[in-house]
Amino acid sequence: MASALIVKNGYVFDPLNEINGEIKDVFIKDGKIVAGLSDAEMKDAKVVDATGKTVMPGGVDSHTHIAGSKVNSGRLMRPEDHYKYNKAKTDITHSGSGETTKTVYLEGYEYAQMGYTTAFEAAVPPMKARHTHEEMRSIPMLDMGGYLVLGNNWFMMRYLKEGDMEKAAAYIAWMMKAHKTYGIKCVNPAGVENWGWGENISSLDEANIHFEVTPREMIKGLCELNEELGIPMPMHLHANNLGHPGCYETTLESLAIPSKIKAKQDIGVDWAETKIDPSRDKSVYLTHMQFNAFAGTSWRDFESGVKPLADYINKNEHVVIDSGSVPFGEATCMTGDGPSIHDVAVLTGGKWSNCDVDLECGSGVCPFTYLKSNPVHSVQWAMGLECLLLIDNPWQAIMTTDSPNGGPFTKYPLIMTWLMSESFREQTFNECHKWANDRSELGGVDREMSLYDLAILTRANPAKTIGMVHRKGSLGVGADGDVTVYDIDPTKLDVNNHEDLIRKFGSVAYTIKDGEIAVKDGEVVSIPTQRTFYSDISVDDAAEKDMLADVKEWFKYYSIGFNHYPTPDKYLTNPTAVTVNTRHMYR
Amino acid sequence: MAEVILTLNKEIDLKVEADVITPDEFAGKGNAEIKQLLVWQGPTQFPLSDFFDVEGDGGNSAEDTSIVINGDTSRVKLIGAKMTAGKITVKGSTGMHVGSEMAGGEIVVEGDADSWPGMEMTGGVLHIKGNAGDHVGSAYRGSWHGMKGGRLMVDGNARSQIGGGMEGGEIIIGGSIENFCGLHQTGGLIVVKGDAIRAVGAEMSGGTIVVGGHILKFTPGMQADGEESNLEFGDVACDGTFKKFVGDYAIAKKPKGILYAGKETNPDL
């Protein structure tokens, strides 16, 4: 890693530096992007010839499910997902299996083979953090982090109901440190708690059982606390009513809740050089928008509700979304939203699993196959693309499949090709149920995304959204030496050659991580070490002490002892703290 | 038709996974190339010739290739897996997953077969002249999509979960079976000439099962629907009088699964 590397002569797409396809060299020294190399360094530098190829910063996935107990439940309950999808070991890689619920090694390799170097696990139940980190420790090559599930946490609900914002802030700060997690995830706020009694919540002003707190109060409180503490990313919201026809209206209302809250990211980092302001300006990050955008009143009159949501987002700058697109085929639904998974399982008549996590949250897992012949699935495919194509500003959108909920991340190349090629969308319309066209706006969309747009959706914006631009998402000086080289010549780009594009997005010419060539011509050639990012949030000692007294008092309801609750450093590979709430530190 | 003769040349300890033994793989290959095809034993690959003497060359196409296997291959798995055409004759007994996922052609096993013969097969004919193990024509663990087409015959006995998740095709068992025959079946035909122990047709919502012999413990979600005699399903005939049942009402409101049980052999029903 100490050596230097030059990515020479490629067409560079680096949206955070407003570089759109210029032929440039990228220099990396000691794992970081540098402006240039000395003559002596040039002589010893490794050269990657990118002539006639597309160069982008390493891919960043800000929403995936690759580690933790629900992923493991998926693996355990889906032997059939592994039997027919497996890869043999090579001299440097482990064997692995699983199309949608991959073994840990395969997750790292397959992300790297697509040019991704960073992936964030989007739901870490606090009590399962240790398990999550144990898995992340074994996922090779990727830099990672996790979002802590807090939307149905007993302490959160209690403090927000009581209006005790000081203790609530201290609780979040302590929890992030204790569980080595990075941001706040809020899943079906107040509703999952009701699921413990076989109930759910259907409107934002319905109070839940015992805590008598409403989804609106939880969303507002968590968004405010998020900004008060200056957490790197906006609150990551999985809205109520998800997966039910008509849920888009709840989503619209939910997005309006934090509209007056100003983003105040406050992190102590050395920013990489970028032309565009690297700090975040969004106060809510809506996750898997497709699943939150169902319209109609039943499966019979089901239709896409993406348009009204996209219209709102186009007029309101405080929102950023990830799409949760559906590429058809096998998927495994897994979420902290237990009641929504139960509804899926009733619908499919198949197997499912459910989990209640003590005082914190719950989860469910259910295998799912998206069929082109199925009317609802076909609309969902169209909706997943609408989420990205109807939102005008790509800086408000992020491409995901909510892997593996909409489909495994290995199908990103398909989504990228659909976004770039109207003729590919047309082809799929002809192959799938006519509802896709009749009940969405996608058929009337002629927008074809450029490589620059895709670089925003898959690198620059995910990095900016989650506050990682100090290291990820750009090729600015000081950023991590993570580079993707696609074997695509932008001057000869033919978006009608779908197969070719899919292949080239799926199997990159080079993935470079920390200045080390990890993948060459789609093959893993070295295994750079991973690291785990977490937020180290500073708060008053006194507030922390009062809050901890409450936590210890209620710990009698936990199934584990208090001393076993936090995750020690040794569970992480290269634990990398991001200092948060510097205003407090220097006060 | 070109014939390739494989003769087992050693006693096998760790089981060998030989999914390359198919007319599709052998077609277009000469003797030397066939010998070099790789099979797995544990975590290592070895050439086929480490385990078999190989005589003859493959034909021009799979249709044009016939494979004859001599010796006791009961520790060789996956013979004929995914084959689409041609013929395989196994002179002795064979291991797990013979004809697994086969789509066409013919396999004849003159001895016994272990578990999973014809797993998720979609076409062709698999004929086992001896006994078979569990999961005959069944879905893989965790899946409810079993056999979809083709014909699977076992002249002797078979064990449990025959036709699990079966969606189409035919399974004909000459002897007796054990538990959960036609579990979660949605289509296709299973004929068992001998006896069954219990849970025949449990969770079935479509397809047909015929049991000529005695069913020891009957599935509770089945409802009686009269009697029928001398059943015919295409070229498959089941002589005699049968009690007819529809089910499984334990899993569906309007199930279309049909179970026939021999009248004489099941006086207790």
Side-chain angles (χ1 to χ4, degrees), chain A residues 79-80 83-84 88-89 351, chain B residues 97 101 119-120 140-142:
Chain A
E80 80 282 10
Y83 182 70
K84 289 177 187 168
K89 72 185 176 94
K351 55 191 168 184
Chain B
H97 284 281
E101 297 177 72
M119 183 196 89
E120 297 179 13
Y140 185 67
R141 288 187 200 286

Side-chain angles (χ1 to χ4, degrees), chain A residues 74-112:
Chain A
R75 293 181 187 119
L76 287 167
M77 70 195 275
R78 297 212 65 185
E80 80 282 10
D81 186 53
H82 291 247
Y83 182 70
K84 289 177 187 168
Y85 190 101
N86 43 62
K87 302 261 167 89
K89 72 185 176 94
T90 69
D91 291 342
I92 58 164
T93 64
H94 290 265
S95 61
S97 62
E99 184 185 359
T100 66
T101 53
K102 298 173 191 302
T103 52
V104 281
Y105 298 117
L106 208 55
E107 289 174 333
Y109 305 146
E110 293 198 333
Y111 258 119

Side-chain angles (χ1 to χ4, degrees), chain B residues 118 121 124 126 136-138 146-154 161-174 177 181-193 200-201 204-212 228 230-239 242 244-245 256-261:
Chain B
M121 69 186 277
L126 170 56
V136 174
S138 172
M147 180 169 173
K148 287 188 179 63
R151 177 174 284 185
L152 207 169
M153 293 174 286
V154 180
Q161 270 179 264
I162 315 291
M166 186 176 186
E167 297 179 349
E170 294 155 359
I171 300 176
I172 298 159
I173 312 282
I177 55 154
C181 167
L183 178 67
H184 214 96
Q185 185 179 355
T186 59
L189 171 70
I190 303 175
V191 176
V192 179
K193 303 219 165 128
V200 178
M204 80 186 293
S205 58
T208 307
I209 305 175
V210 182
V211 180
E228 281 181 32
N230 300 329
L231 309 173
E232 274 183 40
F233 308 95
D235 62 343
V236 182
C238 303
D239 294 338
F242 294 86
K244 186 182 177 187
F245 299 86
K256 295 194 178 75
I258 295 171
L259 168 60
Y260 295 99

Side-chain angles (χ1 to χ4, degrees), chain B residues 8 10-16 41 51-52 75-76:
Chain B
L8 198 64
K10 69 157 87 152
E11 201 162 303
I12 294 171
D13 43 13
L14 206 54
K15 287 184 180 180
V16 170
Q41 188 179 38
F51 301 96
F52 291 95
R75 296 189 73 78
V76 180

